[in-house]
Amino acid sequence: MKVPTMFICTSASLPQISCKKMFFLLLAVSSLSLFLHNRGRFIWTIKSFKWASNTSCSLPSAATKPKHMSIAFLKTHKTASSTMQNILFRFAEHHNLTVALPQRPCDHQFCYPSSFNSKFVHPYTLPAHIITSHMRFNHSEVQRIMPNDTIYITILREPASMFESLFSYYNQYCPSFKRVPDSSLETFLKEPWRYFRPTEKDSMFARNALTYDLGGDNNHRASDKAYVKDFIANIERIFSLVMISEYFDESLVLLRHLFSWELEDVLYINLNMRTPSSRRSLQQGLPARIRIWNALDTQLYNHFNASLWRQLDALGPDCVAREVQLLREARDRLVRGCFGGPQPQPRPANQIKDKVLRPWQPSSKVTIMGYDLPLNASYLGAKPGSESRDRCLKLIMPEVQYSQRLLQIQSLRYRRRLSDVLRRKLGRAP
Ligand SMILES: *[C@@H]1O[C@H](CO)[C@@H](O)[C@H](O)[C@H]1NC(C)=O
Ligand SMILES: *[C@@H]1O[C@H](CO)[C@@H](O)[C@H](O)[C@H]1NC(C)=O
Ligand SMILES: *[C@@H]1O[C@H](CO)[C@@H](O)[C@H](O)[C@H]1NC(C)=O
Ligand SMILES: *[C@@H]1O[C@H](CO)[C@@H](O)[C@H](O)[C@H]1NC(C)=O
Ligand SMILES: *[C@@H]1O[C@H](CO)[C@@H](O)[C@H](O)[C@H]1NC(C)=O
Ligand SMILES: *[C@@H]1O[C@H](CO)[C@@H](O)[C@H](O)[C@H]1NC(C)=O
């Protein structure tokens, strides 16, 4: 190995060892003095490196990577999935995409709780870019109607709070809950098998609802480790992102990276919430009992919550915090623009003047809140039907009404396309 001549170790009078030592000593001293002289600049460099890390953190711009537009969102029950669906509906409408919607006999869901079948899809809504209405998942059936570059996503919620929500929402709907004499969650959990009938209508809401929605067997023995492992592995293979309701904004950061979407594409207002009086906090010991009763969902949740946080850690906590902050700021601006205030006041449905904004009510015992659009907020001057008023309206439009709206728009587009084809054919005819 050649020693560079600038290091004056060629002198034969110096033994090899001390020459090496001298070299390292010199190196250390010069590094130290360089650092002391330029301390300010070093720190500045580190800082700017940190700032610059929002370039690696920031998303590929639309110019470098087009937005992804083929999406299957498995909408689970009572998990903030209505809010996510509203984001997807608005994205689709804004980009003129087609959303696969249910045939009329299926209601606004794909004939849930039946396993999804491609026949459930309204023909005017095919070929589709996005599918997001409630279904019980069947991958091969969804594949039949979706483009082959479809990205699958879904959302899970912590089982104890989710079950409390299901119990309250479907109290008058699901026989396993209706049977409970005092309509109390405690009573149900004391002896669930006394009220629960696995084969009865709507029983999937009363045990492992997430597993059921994802196409699994919600009454499978939770001690069957091989079953749980296979089931989770299968979900992991199909779904590129499993969002977590408790970390909704963080999940949206990952979603934006996955789809190369802009901030504007993921702004939202919480939809389909209950009044505070229909909510209840869980007494000590209850969450643990709920998690045992819903042991499959609990394993599912624990697994995917852990993997969400692994993905967030990979992006870097600073980056995630910054993106969440940007999201909340942009959302606040939009909300102020639409409602004239920082936060729209949710109201019970019977107080909402505009019928198109009244959410569906599951029973008389629980009130699902919605919003009214003030007729005079800061989009004032914008007339009904104008773009900005329309944008605000869609932000708070409940699922059933928005599905009907999209079906109307898409049916019109379908018929127009059909008549164009016919006209061209007739025009060409001799
Ligand atoms: C990084 O983020 C900070 C704070 O959000 C911002 O002030 C700065 O301009 C950003 N830097 C770049 C290069 O985008
Ligand atoms: C969507 O369609 C409308 C009407 O056909 C058109 O004016 C608009 O430019 C389209 N928007 C996009 C993003 O393609
Ligand atoms: C899912 O669909 C496939 C056909 O695409 C069918 O063979 C299978 O039985 C379905 N699964 C369920 C649970 O219905
Ligand atoms: C996806 O579909 C397109 C057209 O429908 C086809 O050309 C392409 O080969 C398909 N890709 C794969 C990986 O199947
Ligand atoms: C989700 O995972 C994170 C990271 O491990 C943990 O801190 C958090 O408590 C978990 N959340 C819930 C609701 O279990
Ligand atoms: C909007 O109208 C309500 C009553 O209808 C009124 O109290 C409020 O001050 C008005 N807001 C603006 C910004 O004009």
Side-chain angles (χ1 to χ4, degrees):
M1 187 183 144
K2 269 189 209 153
V3 178
T5 45
M6 57 190 255
F7 296 118
I8 36 156
C9 280
T10 45
S11 158
S13 64
L14 282 170
Q16 276 288 312
I17 293 295
S18 74
C19 173
K20 254 191 199 157
K21 265 188 189 159
M22 178 106 98
F23 169 66
F24 284 115
L25 191 68
L26 266 171
L27 197 67
V29 168
S30 58
S31 302
L32 187 67
S33 72
L34 193 68
F35 176 73
L36 289 176
H37 269 96
N38 295 286
R39 193 167 40 175
R41 203 182 304 162
F42 267 113
I43 288 166
W44 180 82
T45 309
I46 289 165
K47 255 194 194 150
S48 65
F49 180 73
K50 255 187 152 174
W51 282 128
S53 70
N54 45 356
T55 11
S56 73
C57 165
S58 79
L59 299 136
S61 72
T64 58
K65 198 175 167 210
K67 292 182 190 180
H68 189 83
M69 296 190 173
S70 319
I71 299 154
F73 171 59
L74 177 69
K75 187 177 192 292
T76 48
H77 285 84
K78 305 281 99 211
T79 54
S81 63
S82 297
T83 305
M84 188 58 220
Q85 182 189 51
N86 182 271
I87 291 175
L88 290 167
F89 277 170
R90 281 181 287 124
F91 182 85
E93 210 185 331
H94 185 67
H95 295 86
N96 290 341
L97 304 180
T98 303
V99 181
L101 293 168
Q103 299 257 34
R104 229 171 266 285
C106 279
D107 208 355
H108 64 286
Q109 318 185 337
F110 289 108
C111 288
Y112 186 88
S114 301
S115 181
F116 180 78
N117 188 300
S118 53
K119 291 199 201 91
F120 297 162
V121 182
H122 198 299
Y124 287 6
T125 64
L126 288 173
H129 302 94
I130 290 178
I131 189 164
T132 162
S133 300
H134 274 304
M135 68 167 77
R136 185 182 189 199
F137 191 61
N138 181 326
H139 188 211
S140 52
E141 282 294 313
V142 175
Q143 271 179 313
R144 291 171 73 142
I145 56 145
M146 294 301 288
N148 55 11
D149 66 343
T150 296
I151 293 184
Y152 290 77
I153 61 172
T154 188
I155 184 164
L156 309 182
R157 175 174 173 192
E158 195 283 310
S161 63
M162 177 173 168
F163 195 73
E164 187 274 320
S165 179
L166 284 163
F167 189 84
S168 139
Y169 197 80
Y170 294 112
N171 209 279
Q172 300 300 301
Y173 204 81
C174 166
S176 299
F177 294 155
K178 239 160 112 173
R179 210 169 271 128
V180 182
D182 55 355
S183 302
S184 116
L185 186 53
E186 282 86 346
T187 309
F188 177 85
L189 288 167
K190 252 177 217 147
E191 293 170 282
W193 284 108
R194 190 164 162 184
Y195 312 106
F196 177 70
R197 312 273 186 278
T199 54
E200 160 183 270
K201 178 182 164 284
D202 292 334
S203 68
M204 66 281 163
F205 294 135
R207 198 181 185 204
N208 293 313
L210 290 172
T211 301
Y212 185 87
D213 285 357
L214 281 156
D217 171 10
N218 62 319
N219 287 303
H220 202 92
R221 275 183 307 116
S223 55
D224 183 350
K225 296 286 171 243
Y227 176 79
V228 175
K229 197 170 156 227
D230 265 18
F231 186 55
I232 288 178
N234 206 33
I235 294 168
E236 210 145 49
R237 187 173 56 77
I238 296 167
F239 292 87
S240 303
L241 173 64
V242 176
M243 302 170 68
I244 298 288
S245 310
E246 283 74 25
Y247 311 107
F248 193 72
D249 289 348
E250 288 81 359
S251 300
L252 284 179
V253 170
L254 293 178
L255 181 137
R256 233 153 70 70
H257 279 256
L258 183 64
F259 292 161
S260 309
W261 281 14
E262 289 166 62
L263 202 55
E264 290 296 306
D265 297 324
V266 296
L267 306 182
Y268 68 92
I269 285 186
N270 287 319
L271 294 176
N272 213 28
M273 293 181 305
R274 286 171 289 166
T275 45
S277 64
S278 343
R279 284 166 187 267
R280 36 166 319 190
S281 57
L282 296 174
Q283 299 301 312
Q284 274 220 320
L286 227 47
R289 248 188 286 160
I290 294 176
R291 283 194 283 268
I292 291 169
W293 175 243
N294 296 280
L296 294 173
D297 280 10
T298 300
Q299 294 181 66
L300 210 59
Y301 179 85
N302 290 345
H303 179 91
F304 286 104
N305 179 43
S307 67
L308 180 94
W309 282 97
R310 267 198 305 277
Q311 291 173 72
L312 291 170
D313 280 347
L315 269 188
D318 288 352
C319 160
V320 173
R322 196 154 44 231
E323 286 207 22
V324 165
Q325 170 85 17
L326 287 174
L327 171 69
R328 291 182 181 159
E329 283 166 7
R331 187 180 59 201
D332 288 350
R333 275 194 301 277
L334 177 61
V335 165
R336 261 197 307 279
C338 284
F339 302 93
Q343 189 70 38
Q345 197 58 48
R347 311 157 182 275
N350 58 6
Q351 290 176 22
I352 296 173
K353 290 184 213 90
D354 194 341
K355 228 193 272 173
V356 94
L357 294 175
R358 278 186 211 152
W360 181 74
Q361 303 294 310
S363 83
S364 57
K365 291 209 177 165
V366 57
T367 306
I368 301 302
M369 310 281 272
Y371 303 96
D372 235 344
L373 202 55
L375 295 167
N376 63 351
S378 57
Y379 62 86
L380 263 178
K383 297 193 176 57
S386 70
E387 202 192 344
S388 55
R389 185 176 191 278
D390 214 41
R391 188 174 181 215
C392 300
L393 194 71
K394 288 184 281 194
L395 196 62
I396 53 176
M397 193 176 287
E399 157 177 20
V400 176
Q401 291 93 325
Y402 210 147
S403 301
Q404 284 163 356
R405 172 193 170 102
L406 285 178
L407 185 59
Q408 252 170 23
I409 294 172
Q410 293 177 179
S411 298
L412 211 68
R413 197 157 64 204
Y414 181 88
R415 288 202 206 98
R416 203 177 297 136
R417 222 168 27 220
L418 200 69
S419 71
D420 279 354
V421 170
L422 284 176
R423 204 175 307 121
R424 262 202 307 276
K425 275 198 174 146
L426 289 174
R428 244 186 254 136

